Amino acid sequence: MAHLADFQQLLRQIEASPNVLFENEVLTGFSGRRMIAALQGFTRLLDPAHFCYLEVGVFQGLTLLSVAGANPEVACFGIDNFQAHDPERKNLNIFNQRREKLGLTNAHLLNLDYEDALENLGQHLGHRKIGVYFIDGPHDYRSQLMCLLLAMPYLAPNALIVVDDSNYLQVRQANRDFLVAYPSYKLLFEAYTPRHPNNMTPEQTAAARQGWWDGVNILVHDPADQLPPMYPPTRRNRLLFENDHFVHASRIGALAPQVLVAANLLFTGRWGRAAKNFRKAYQMFKANPFPGEFDDTNIFAEGTPGSRLNG
Ligand SMILES: C[S@@+](CC[C@H](N)C(=O)[O-])C[C@H]1O[C@@H](n2cnc3c(N)ncnc32)[C@H](O)[C@@H]1O
């Protein structure tokens, strides 16, 4: 079983010069070279008889198939429901074609929503515990926290949890909240870029591709308490998280992303585009049944009993 010192040594080596163990021209996608080297290298330290690799967020298979290719003895599981970033619904086919072309029989897909998959993970993993867990699915605060919490019963002692897109404040906050609540997990490594790759210059994007792409937090289960506590930086002001309450209780909370896009365009003087986006949001409002009966303070109480005592 690998130790903390092995993980630290591998990270030092990857920071100096990332050694990617398996690559193939069919494996395109969005990730950093250091990220792929770390996932492959950490998985190589696992005893395949007892431990497996798991990821949430497969997309077209770049990370899952890269890790499986570099570690043919290790069972590698990926969870994706192919509902996001896939307007033409082609990612599942692309993943299957790539897996077949590479002949990677140790790469297993769980075509499910991550909550459904993680709540019943024992059925899929069998006797194996998760040695390396890569989280790269939905990046909202709750999903990030749930990905951590639901996997806990299946994590090996010394398990590594690699969290992609840790540039985002809400991802760092979820990781911090988890680390504060469960102090036997420690932050082992963190790396960030000053902006998201979408907002980078071509030179910055090229550097991110060689690095960790959109920021990383690597957590380690440290039941022997060998590492001191360390937390990803967050803002002390929690306003954005507290705003959740108003989004949830608004009649049009489900339209928050579209309305924010339109309002941002309006506030920054791009009126033509703002009008178009407000029209689009309004059409969605008219076309969809929005369950909120009131402007705000909707509580969505359907299904709740008047009162109930257990036992
Ligand atoms: C950034 S991509 C993952 C990239 C991937 N690791 C790679 O190597 O290219 C995020 C993926 O998370 C998946 N996803 C988003 N929400 C999900 C959910 N609720 N359950 C399962 N998968 C989800 C999306 O379908 C998408 O394919």
Side-chain angles (χ1 to χ4, degrees), residues 28-31 36 39 53 55-66 79-86 89 91 98 110-117 134-140 143 164-165:
T28 55
F30 300 98
S31 196
I36 292 188
L39 296 173
Y53 168 89
E55 75 177 30
V56 174
V58 173
F59 190 56
Q60 300 176 350
L62 170 61
T63 48
L64 179 60
L65 297 175
S66 299
I79 299 168
D80 205 304
N81 59 1
F82 302 100
Q83 298 297 309
H85 313 298
D86 194 9
R89 294 281 173 265
N91 286 348
R98 287 177 171 187
L110 311 181
N111 184 351
L112 291 166
D113 177 86
Y114 79 90
E115 283 190 76
D116 297 325
F134 180 45
I135 305 180
D136 189 17
H139 301 311
D140 63 284
S143 295
D164 201 1
D165 294 276

Side-chain angles (χ1 to χ4, degrees), residues 66-80:
S66 299
V67 173
N71 297 281
E73 307 300 317
V74 179
C76 297
F77 297 89
I79 299 168
D80 205 304

Side-chain angles (χ1 to χ4, degrees), residues 273-285:
R273 283 178 61 199
K276 265 192 207 137
N277 279 272
F278 271 118
R279 199 172 309 124
K280 209 163 82 189
Y282 180 67
Q283 281 161 355
M284 289 171 78
F285 174 71

